[in-house]
Amino acid sequence: MVDTLGVAVIGFGWMGRVHTQAYARVRHHYPRLPLVPELVTVAEEVPGRAEEAAAQFGFASTTRDWREVAADPRVEAVSITAPNFLHREIGVAMAEAGKHIWIEKPVGLTAEDAGAVADAVAKAGVQGAVGFNYRNAPAVEAARELIASGEIGTVTHVRIRLFSDYAAHPEGALTWRYERDRGGSGVLGDLASHGTDLARHLLGDITSLTADSAIFLPERARPTGATAGHSRASGGELGPVENEDYVSCLLRFASGARGVLEACRVSVGEQNNYGFEVHGTKGAVFWDFRRMNELGISRGTTYQDQSVTTVYAGPGHGEFAAFQPGAANSMGYDDLKVIEAYRFLRSVAEGTPHGATLTDAVHSAATLDAMARSVASGAWADVSAGA
């Protein structure tokens, strides 16, 4: 017997579309999933956008007010893909209304916001999933198992990079992403949040750090109408960019390992250059998102001049088998969100968390808050997740 689960999507920009496509595909890849997501309603305040989503994807209804979703008895689970400043209010309201939530990172503007959503989810007894999609790559899951097995020895240090050019154009519109009150942090919340999650997912808790940040494009033109994604605007009134374009950070882990995390949204010549290099006393492991299905591995007993082997993700790694029958067949970004949808729906079906949770979001947000404190003080900052 397969049950239906009424789902809603709040915020239909690019990420709302990605979530919706993941719901549409999830049973194709996971036919034994005991829940079939049913697209009940989409909430979007930009005129016409919700109606376009309904026409394309088959939502039964639309609304411009997300509060109607909380009151809708047809809705049992909600994807929250609205701007960052709304995450806490919407997340808490949906949990209190008894809805399971799949929420994009960062969960609010601060660790306090993330903690409030986590508390509401726990109190309501619903499931909460978070959009840390890069941990879902089968090669990343293979790297985590390799590290945990001790095959590269004791981890000594890691370098994590997240470089992109999505905000590099000087005519990029001054949207909510660049405002402190609505976007919160800049590249911290957008990219470094993924980096901190990967760091903790692979190596365990971060205990302290020191960070530096910078704004390289201090002014942008205000848009004259609704925007989607990273739109451009020219000739409009200039306004200040209030949050950081760049951050670099030194990390200390509870294990004793050290780390370097660097993220930038204005890196000309870099398109989604995300990845990590983890070094241990006997080897190393390397991953590049642009070659998502490959893992570089060095292991053995030679130490010096030890070779690196390329291993292709295959059916024995993570969720690869749900998408491709043999190693070296490519998977892509949207597949990672299908995995996320599967784990969210499985959590709802079984009543047990699978995948990234609100606890992971609180840890990531606490690390970002520590980065902000370190930038302000110029000193090392302790990381305390309160979770």
PDB file of all heavy atoms in Angstrom, residues 229-263:
ATOM      1  N   GLY A 229      16.869  34.403  -9.378  1.00  0.00           N
ATOM      2  CA  GLY A 229      18.270  34.003  -9.471  1.00  0.00           C
ATOM      3  C   GLY A 229      19.183  35.192  -9.255  1.00  0.00           C
ATOM      4  O   GLY A 229      18.979  36.006  -8.358  1.00  0.00           O
ATOM      5  N   HIS A 230      20.189  35.308 -10.105  1.00  0.00           N
ATOM      6  CA  HIS A 230      21.170  36.382  -9.973  1.00  0.00           C
ATOM      7  C   HIS A 230      21.022  37.318 -11.175  1.00  0.00           C
ATOM      8  O   HIS A 230      21.844  37.338 -12.085  1.00  0.00           O
ATOM      9  CB  HIS A 230      22.572  35.792  -9.868  1.00  0.00           C
ATOM     10  CG  HIS A 230      22.696  34.800  -8.745  1.00  0.00           C
ATOM     11  ND1 HIS A 230      22.676  35.168  -7.425  1.00  0.00           N
ATOM     12  CD2 HIS A 230      22.798  33.441  -8.753  1.00  0.00           C
ATOM     13  CE1 HIS A 230      22.782  34.092  -6.660  1.00  0.00           C
ATOM     14  NE2 HIS A 230      22.853  33.040  -7.446  1.00  0.00           N
ATOM     15  N   SER A 231      19.952  38.099 -11.143  1.00  0.00           N
ATOM     16  CA  SER A 231      19.628  38.991 -12.251  1.00  0.00           C
ATOM     17  C   SER A 231      20.581  40.180 -12.294  1.00  0.00           C
ATOM     18  O   SER A 231      21.217  40.535 -11.305  1.00  0.00           O
ATOM     19  CB  SER A 231      18.194  39.499 -12.112  1.00  0.00           C
ATOM     20  OG  SER A 231      17.274  38.437 -12.039  1.00  0.00           O
ATOM     21  N   ARG A 232      20.623  40.823 -13.459  1.00  0.00           N
ATOM     22  CA  ARG A 232      21.413  42.034 -13.614  1.00  0.00           C
ATOM     23  C   ARG A 232      20.519  43.260 -13.625  1.00  0.00           C
ATOM     24  O   ARG A 232      19.343  43.196 -13.993  1.00  0.00           O
ATOM     25  CB  ARG A 232      22.235  41.977 -14.901  1.00  0.00           C
ATOM     26  CG  ARG A 232      23.305  40.910 -14.898  1.00  0.00           C
ATOM     27  CD  ARG A 232      24.149  40.984 -16.166  1.00  0.00           C
ATOM     28  NE  ARG A 232      25.041  39.830 -16.263  1.00  0.00           N
ATOM     29  CZ  ARG A 232      25.833  39.605 -17.316  1.00  0.00           C
ATOM     30  NH1 ARG A 232      25.838  40.451 -18.336  1.00  0.00           N
ATOM     31  NH2 ARG A 232      26.601  38.535 -17.344  1.00  0.00           N
ATOM     32  N   ALA A 233      21.090  44.394 -13.231  1.00  0.00           N
ATOM     33  CA  ALA A 233      20.400  45.673 -13.275  1.00  0.00           C
ATOM     34  C   ALA A 233      21.434  46.735 -13.590  1.00  0.00           C
ATOM     35  O   ALA A 233      22.539  46.725 -13.050  1.00  0.00           O
ATOM     36  CB  ALA A 233      19.730  45.977 -11.940  1.00  0.00           C
ATOM     37  N   SER A 234      21.099  47.649 -14.469  1.00  0.00           N
ATOM     38  CA  SER A 234      22.019  48.733 -14.798  1.00  0.00           C
ATOM     39  C   SER A 234      21.231  50.032 -14.903  1.00  0.00           C
ATOM     40  O   SER A 234      20.053  50.026 -15.274  1.00  0.00           O
ATOM     41  CB  SER A 234      22.759  48.455 -16.114  1.00  0.00           C
ATOM     42  OG  SER A 234      21.837  48.339 -17.181  1.00  0.00           O
ATOM     43  N   GLY A 235      21.881  51.117 -14.564  1.00  0.00           N
ATOM     44  CA  GLY A 235      21.251  52.419 -14.680  1.00  0.00           C
ATOM     45  C   GLY A 235      20.361  52.789 -13.521  1.00  0.00           C
ATOM     46  O   GLY A 235      19.877  53.920 -13.440  1.00  0.00           O
ATOM     47  N   GLY A 236      20.125  51.854 -12.605  1.00  0.00           N
ATOM     48  CA  GLY A 236      19.283  52.151 -11.458  1.00  0.00           C
ATOM     49  C   GLY A 236      20.055  52.839 -10.348  1.00  0.00           C
ATOM     50  O   GLY A 236      21.268  53.026 -10.411  1.00  0.00           O
ATOM     51  N   GLU A 237      19.327  53.208  -9.314  1.00  0.00           N
ATOM     52  CA  GLU A 237      19.949  53.842  -8.149  1.00  0.00           C
ATOM     53  C   GLU A 237      20.918  52.869  -7.490  1.00  0.00           C
ATOM     54  O   GLU A 237      20.584  51.706  -7.255  1.00  0.00           O
ATOM     55  CB  GLU A 237      18.868  54.256  -7.156  1.00  0.00           C
ATOM     56  CG  GLU A 237      19.414  54.866  -5.875  1.00  0.00           C
ATOM     57  CD  GLU A 237      18.336  55.072  -4.830  1.00  0.00           C
ATOM     58  OE1 GLU A 237      17.158  54.757  -5.131  1.00  0.00           O
ATOM     59  OE2 GLU A 237      18.672  55.507  -3.723  1.00  0.00           O
ATOM     60  N   LEU A 238      22.115  53.342  -7.193  1.00  0.00           N
ATOM     61  CA  LEU A 238      23.104  52.488  -6.540  1.00  0.00           C
ATOM     62  C   LEU A 238      22.824  52.398  -5.044  1.00  0.00           C
ATOM     63  O   LEU A 238      22.400  53.364  -4.410  1.00  0.00           O
ATOM     64  CB  LEU A 238      24.517  53.027  -6.772  1.00  0.00           C
ATOM     65  CG  LEU A 238      25.052  52.977  -8.204  1.00  0.00           C
ATOM     66  CD1 LEU A 238      26.452  53.584  -8.269  1.00  0.00           C
ATOM     67  CD2 LEU A 238      25.067  51.543  -8.728  1.00  0.00           C
ATOM     68  N   GLY A 239      23.072  51.214  -4.504  1.00  0.00           N
ATOM     69  CA  GLY A 239      22.933  51.007  -3.071  1.00  0.00           C
ATOM     70  C   GLY A 239      24.103  50.196  -2.553  1.00  0.00           C
ATOM     71  O   GLY A 239      24.805  49.538  -3.330  1.00  0.00           O
ATOM     72  N   PRO A 240      24.323  50.211  -1.244  1.00  0.00           N
ATOM     73  CA  PRO A 240      25.483  49.515  -0.684  1.00  0.00           C
ATOM     74  C   PRO A 240      25.281  48.011  -0.553  1.00  0.00           C
ATOM     75  O   PRO A 240      24.192  47.542  -0.218  1.00  0.00           O
ATOM     76  CB  PRO A 240      25.619  50.154   0.705  1.00  0.00           C
ATOM     77  CG  PRO A 240      24.218  50.528   1.072  1.00  0.00           C
ATOM     78  CD  PRO A 240      23.552  50.940  -0.216  1.00  0.00           C
ATOM     79  N   VAL A 241      26.333  47.264  -0.820  1.00  0.00           N
ATOM     80  CA  VAL A 241      26.372  45.831  -0.514  1.00  0.00           C
ATOM     81  C   VAL A 241      26.737  45.712   0.961  1.00  0.00           C
ATOM     82  O   VAL A 241      27.771  46.221   1.401  1.00  0.00           O
ATOM     83  CB  VAL A 241      27.403  45.103  -1.399  1.00  0.00           C
ATOM     84  CG1 VAL A 241      27.578  43.660  -0.935  1.00  0.00           C
ATOM     85  CG2 VAL A 241      26.977  45.153  -2.854  1.00  0.00           C
ATOM     86  N   GLU A 242      25.894  45.055   1.743  1.00  0.00           N
ATOM     87  CA  GLU A 242      26.044  45.072   3.198  1.00  0.00           C
ATOM     88  C   GLU A 242      26.671  43.808   3.761  1.00  0.00           C
ATOM     89  O   GLU A 242      26.992  43.768   4.962  1.00  0.00           O
ATOM     90  CB  GLU A 242      24.672  45.288   3.841  1.00  0.00           C
ATOM     91  CG  GLU A 242      24.045  46.627   3.461  1.00  0.00           C
ATOM     92  CD  GLU A 242      22.633  46.785   3.976  1.00  0.00           C
ATOM     93  OE1 GLU A 242      22.057  45.774   4.451  1.00  0.00           O
ATOM     94  OE2 GLU A 242      22.096  47.907   3.899  1.00  0.00           O
ATOM     95  N   ASN A 243      26.817  42.757   2.950  1.00  0.00           N
ATOM     96  CA  ASN A 243      27.399  41.533   3.479  1.00  0.00           C
ATOM     97  C   ASN A 243      28.543  41.060   2.589  1.00  0.00           C
ATOM     98  O   ASN A 243      28.703  41.519   1.465  1.00  0.00           O
ATOM     99  CB  ASN A 243      26.341  40.446   3.680  1.00  0.00           C
ATOM    100  CG  ASN A 243      25.462  40.249   2.451  1.00  0.00           C
ATOM    101  OD1 ASN A 243      25.920  40.415   1.319  1.00  0.00           O
ATOM    102  ND2 ASN A 243      24.207  39.890   2.655  1.00  0.00           N
ATOM    103  N   GLU A 244      29.325  40.140   3.087  1.00  0.00           N
ATOM    104  CA  GLU A 244      30.637  39.832   2.531  1.00  0.00           C
ATOM    105  C   GLU A 244      30.588  39.081   1.205  1.00  0.00           C
ATOM    106  O   GLU A 244      29.746  38.222   0.974  1.00  0.00           O
ATOM    107  CB  GLU A 244      31.465  39.033   3.545  1.00  0.00           C
ATOM    108  CG  GLU A 244      30.949  37.640   3.846  1.00  0.00           C
ATOM    109  CD  GLU A 244      29.713  37.609   4.719  1.00  0.00           C
ATOM    110  OE1 GLU A 244      29.556  38.550   5.542  1.00  0.00           O
ATOM    111  OE2 GLU A 244      28.909  36.677   4.596  1.00  0.00           O
ATOM    112  N   ASP A 245      31.543  39.445   0.328  1.00  0.00           N
ATOM    113  CA  ASP A 245      31.767  38.723  -0.929  1.00  0.00           C
ATOM    114  C   ASP A 245      32.719  37.548  -0.731  1.00  0.00           C
ATOM    115  O   ASP A 245      32.705  36.600  -1.525  1.00  0.00           O
ATOM    116  CB  ASP A 245      32.398  39.655  -1.976  1.00  0.00           C
ATOM    117  CG  ASP A 245      31.457  40.738  -2.463  1.00  0.00           C
ATOM    118  OD1 ASP A 245      30.248  40.466  -2.591  1.00  0.00           O
ATOM    119  OD2 ASP A 245      31.924  41.862  -2.710  1.00  0.00           O
ATOM    120  N   TYR A 246      33.556  37.630   0.309  1.00  0.00           N
ATOM    121  CA  TYR A 246      34.672  36.691   0.467  1.00  0.00           C
ATOM    122  C   TYR A 246      34.882  36.389   1.948  1.00  0.00           C
ATOM    123  O   TYR A 246      34.716  37.260   2.806  1.00  0.00           O
ATOM    124  CB  TYR A 246      35.942  37.309  -0.118  1.00  0.00           C
ATOM    125  CG  TYR A 246      37.215  36.555   0.204  1.00  0.00           C
ATOM    126  CD1 TYR A 246      37.641  35.493  -0.594  1.00  0.00           C
ATOM    127  CD2 TYR A 246      37.996  36.905   1.307  1.00  0.00           C
ATOM    128  CE1 TYR A 246      38.805  34.797  -0.296  1.00  0.00           C
ATOM    129  CE2 TYR A 246      39.155  36.219   1.611  1.00  0.00           C
ATOM    130  CZ  TYR A 246      39.559  35.167   0.815  1.00  0.00           C
ATOM    131  OH  TYR A 246      40.713  34.480   1.117  1.00  0.00           O
ATOM    132  N   VAL A 247      35.250  35.152   2.243  1.00  0.00           N
ATOM    133  CA  VAL A 247      35.640  34.777   3.601  1.00  0.00           C
ATOM    134  C   VAL A 247      36.738  33.726   3.539  1.00  0.00           C
ATOM    135  O   VAL A 247      36.751  32.868   2.653  1.00  0.00           O
ATOM    136  CB  VAL A 247      34.446  34.239   4.420  1.00  0.00           C
ATOM    137  CG1 VAL A 247      33.904  32.938   3.829  1.00  0.00           C
ATOM    138  CG2 VAL A 247      34.812  34.047   5.883  1.00  0.00           C
ATOM    139  N   SER A 248      37.699  33.855   4.440  1.00  0.00           N
ATOM    140  CA  SER A 248      38.705  32.816   4.639  1.00  0.00           C
ATOM    141  C   SER A 248      38.742  32.496   6.121  1.00  0.00           C
ATOM    142  O   SER A 248      38.489  33.363   6.963  1.00  0.00           O
ATOM    143  CB  SER A 248      40.087  33.269   4.155  1.00  0.00           C
ATOM    144  OG  SER A 248      40.509  34.419   4.869  1.00  0.00           O
ATOM    145  N   CYS A 249      39.063  31.247   6.432  1.00  0.00           N
ATOM    146  CA  CYS A 249      38.932  30.817   7.820  1.00  0.00           C
ATOM    147  C   CYS A 249      39.901  29.681   8.125  1.00  0.00           C
ATOM    148  O   CYS A 249      40.086  28.767   7.317  1.00  0.00           O
ATOM    149  CB  CYS A 249      37.491  30.352   8.049  1.00  0.00           C
ATOM    150  SG  CYS A 249      37.096  29.952   9.749  1.00  0.00           S
ATOM    151  N   LEU A 250      40.529  29.740   9.291  1.00  0.00           N
ATOM    152  CA  LEU A 250      41.308  28.634   9.835  1.00  0.00           C
ATOM    153  C   LEU A 250      40.443  27.907  10.861  1.00  0.00           C
ATOM    154  O   LEU A 250      39.797  28.553  11.694  1.00  0.00           O
ATOM    155  CB  LEU A 250      42.584  29.140  10.499  1.00  0.00           C
ATOM    156  CG  LEU A 250      43.574  29.900   9.624  1.00  0.00           C
ATOM    157  CD1 LEU A 250      44.772  30.361  10.462  1.00  0.00           C
ATOM    158  CD2 LEU A 250      44.035  29.054   8.451  1.00  0.00           C
ATOM    159  N   LEU A 251      40.435  26.582  10.792  1.00  0.00           N
ATOM    160  CA  LEU A 251      39.573  25.770  11.645  1.00  0.00           C
ATOM    161  C   LEU A 251      40.388  24.846  12.540  1.00  0.00           C
ATOM    162  O   LEU A 251      41.423  24.323  12.121  1.00  0.00           O
ATOM    163  CB  LEU A 251      38.641  24.904  10.785  1.00  0.00           C
ATOM    164  CG  LEU A 251      37.797  25.591   9.721  1.00  0.00           C
ATOM    165  CD1 LEU A 251      37.171  24.541   8.808  1.00  0.00           C
ATOM    166  CD2 LEU A 251      36.721  26.440  10.359  1.00  0.00           C
ATOM    167  N   ARG A 252      39.878  24.621  13.737  1.00  0.00           N
ATOM    168  CA  ARG A 252      40.405  23.587  14.624  1.00  0.00           C
ATOM    169  C   ARG A 252      39.271  22.625  14.947  1.00  0.00           C
ATOM    170  O   ARG A 252      38.167  23.048  15.323  1.00  0.00           O
ATOM    171  CB  ARG A 252      40.951  24.189  15.913  1.00  0.00           C
ATOM    172  CG  ARG A 252      42.239  25.001  15.729  1.00  0.00           C
ATOM    173  CD  ARG A 252      42.651  25.674  17.013  1.00  0.00           C
ATOM    174  NE  ARG A 252      43.900  26.418  16.866  1.00  0.00           N
ATOM    175  CZ  ARG A 252      44.359  27.320  17.731  1.00  0.00           C
ATOM    176  NH1 ARG A 252      43.639  27.593  18.829  1.00  0.00           N
ATOM    177  NH2 ARG A 252      45.497  27.947  17.513  1.00  0.00           N
ATOM    178  N   PHE A 253      39.553  21.335  14.808  1.00  0.00           N
ATOM    179  CA  PHE A 253      38.546  20.298  15.044  1.00  0.00           C
ATOM    180  C   PHE A 253      38.762  19.631  16.405  1.00  0.00           C
ATOM    181  O   PHE A 253      39.878  19.618  16.937  1.00  0.00           O
ATOM    182  CB  PHE A 253      38.606  19.235  13.941  1.00  0.00           C
ATOM    183  CG  PHE A 253      38.194  19.731  12.587  1.00  0.00           C
ATOM    184  CD1 PHE A 253      39.106  20.387  11.767  1.00  0.00           C
ATOM    185  CD2 PHE A 253      36.900  19.554  12.134  1.00  0.00           C
ATOM    186  CE1 PHE A 253      38.731  20.846  10.512  1.00  0.00           C
ATOM    187  CE2 PHE A 253      36.516  20.008  10.879  1.00  0.00           C
ATOM    188  CZ  PHE A 253      37.430  20.659  10.065  1.00  0.00           C
ATOM    189  N   ALA A 254      37.694  19.044  16.932  1.00  0.00           N
ATOM    190  CA  ALA A 254      37.786  18.332  18.205  1.00  0.00           C
ATOM    191  C   ALA A 254      38.782  17.187  18.127  1.00  0.00           C
ATOM    192  O   ALA A 254      39.405  16.819  19.134  1.00  0.00           O
ATOM    193  CB  ALA A 254      36.407  17.809  18.610  1.00  0.00           C
ATOM    194  N   SER A 255      38.965  16.626  16.943  1.00  0.00           N
ATOM    195  CA  SER A 255      39.896  15.520  16.755  1.00  0.00           C
ATOM    196  C   SER A 255      41.351  15.952  16.835  1.00  0.00           C
ATOM    197  O   SER A 255      42.253  15.109  16.935  1.00  0.00           O
ATOM    198  CB  SER A 255      39.656  14.882  15.384  1.00  0.00           C
ATOM    199  OG  SER A 255      39.995  15.806  14.353  1.00  0.00           O
ATOM    200  N   GLY A 256      41.608  17.265  16.746  1.00  0.00           N
ATOM    201  CA  GLY A 256      42.972  17.768  16.682  1.00  0.00           C
ATOM    202  C   GLY A 256      43.387  18.158  15.273  1.00  0.00           C
ATOM    203  O   GLY A 256      44.443  18.770  15.079  1.00  0.00           O
ATOM    204  N   ALA A 257      42.575  17.804  14.290  1.00  0.00           N
ATOM    205  CA  ALA A 257      42.879  18.178  12.905  1.00  0.00           C
ATOM    206  C   ALA A 257      42.744  19.687  12.721  1.00  0.00           C
ATOM    207  O   ALA A 257      42.072  20.373  13.499  1.00  0.00           O
ATOM    208  CB  ALA A 257      41.947  17.446  11.947  1.00  0.00           C
ATOM    209  N   ARG A 258      43.394  20.182  11.684  1.00  0.00           N
ATOM    210  CA  ARG A 258      43.314  21.594  11.335  1.00  0.00           C
ATOM    211  C   ARG A 258      42.670  21.723   9.963  1.00  0.00           C
ATOM    212  O   ARG A 258      42.658  20.786   9.161  1.00  0.00           O
ATOM    213  CB  ARG A 258      44.703  22.234  11.319  1.00  0.00           C
ATOM    214  CG  ARG A 258      45.421  22.208  12.674  1.00  0.00           C
ATOM    215  CD  ARG A 258      44.653  23.035  13.705  1.00  0.00           C
ATOM    216  NE  ARG A 258      45.448  23.310  14.897  1.00  0.00           N
ATOM    217  CZ  ARG A 258      45.364  22.643  16.031  1.00  0.00           C
ATOM    218  NH1 ARG A 258      44.546  21.592  16.115  1.00  0.00           N
ATOM    219  NH2 ARG A 258      46.094  22.996  17.084  1.00  0.00           N
ATOM    220  N   GLY A 259      42.122  22.922   9.671  1.00  0.00           N
ATOM    221  CA  GLY A 259      41.468  23.105   8.395  1.00  0.00           C
ATOM    222  C   GLY A 259      41.560  24.529   7.891  1.00  0.00           C
ATOM    223  O   GLY A 259      41.787  25.471   8.655  1.00  0.00           O
ATOM    224  N   VAL A 260      41.382  24.664   6.586  1.00  0.00           N
ATOM    225  CA  VAL A 260      41.281  25.958   5.927  1.00  0.00           C
ATOM    226  C   VAL A 260      40.010  25.943   5.092  1.00  0.00           C
ATOM    227  O   VAL A 260      39.786  25.010   4.313  1.00  0.00           O
ATOM    228  CB  VAL A 260      42.493  26.235   5.008  1.00  0.00           C
ATOM    229  CG1 VAL A 260      42.312  27.570   4.272  1.00  0.00           C
ATOM    230  CG2 VAL A 260      43.788  26.238   5.805  1.00  0.00           C
ATOM    231  N   LEU A 261      39.170  26.943   5.274  1.00  0.00           N
ATOM    232  CA  LEU A 261      37.961  27.084   4.481  1.00  0.00           C
ATOM    233  C   LEU A 261      37.988  28.449   3.815  1.00  0.00           C
ATOM    234  O   LEU A 261      38.226  29.459   4.470  1.00  0.00           O
ATOM    235  CB  LEU A 261      36.712  26.939   5.351  1.00  0.00           C
ATOM    236  CG  LEU A 261      35.350  26.889   4.638  1.00  0.00           C
ATOM    237  CD1 LEU A 261      34.339  26.111   5.477  1.00  0.00           C
ATOM    238  CD2 LEU A 261      34.794  28.275   4.343  1.00  0.00           C
ATOM    239  N   GLU A 262      37.727  28.470   2.498  1.00  0.00           N
ATOM    240  CA  GLU A 262      37.726  29.717   1.756  1.00  0.00           C
ATOM    241  C   GLU A 262      36.537  29.711   0.810  1.00  0.00           C
ATOM    242  O   GLU A 262      36.269  28.716   0.135  1.00  0.00           O
ATOM    243  CB  GLU A 262      39.032  29.850   0.975  1.00  0.00           C
ATOM    244  CG  GLU A 262      39.287  31.235   0.411  1.00  0.00           C
ATOM    245  CD  GLU A 262      40.659  31.338  -0.269  1.00  0.00           C
ATOM    246  OE1 GLU A 262      41.272  30.288  -0.553  1.00  0.00           O
ATOM    247  OE2 GLU A 262      41.070  32.474  -0.541  1.00  0.00           O
ATOM    248  N   ALA A 263      35.793  30.835   0.780  1.00  0.00           N
ATOM    249  CA  ALA A 263      34.626  30.931  -0.086  1.00  0.00           C
ATOM    250  C   ALA A 263      34.538  32.328  -0.677  1.00  0.00           C
ATOM    251  O   ALA A 263      34.856  33.315  -0.003  1.00  0.00           O
ATOM    252  CB  ALA A 263      33.346  30.613   0.686  1.00  0.00           C
TER     253      ALA A 263
END
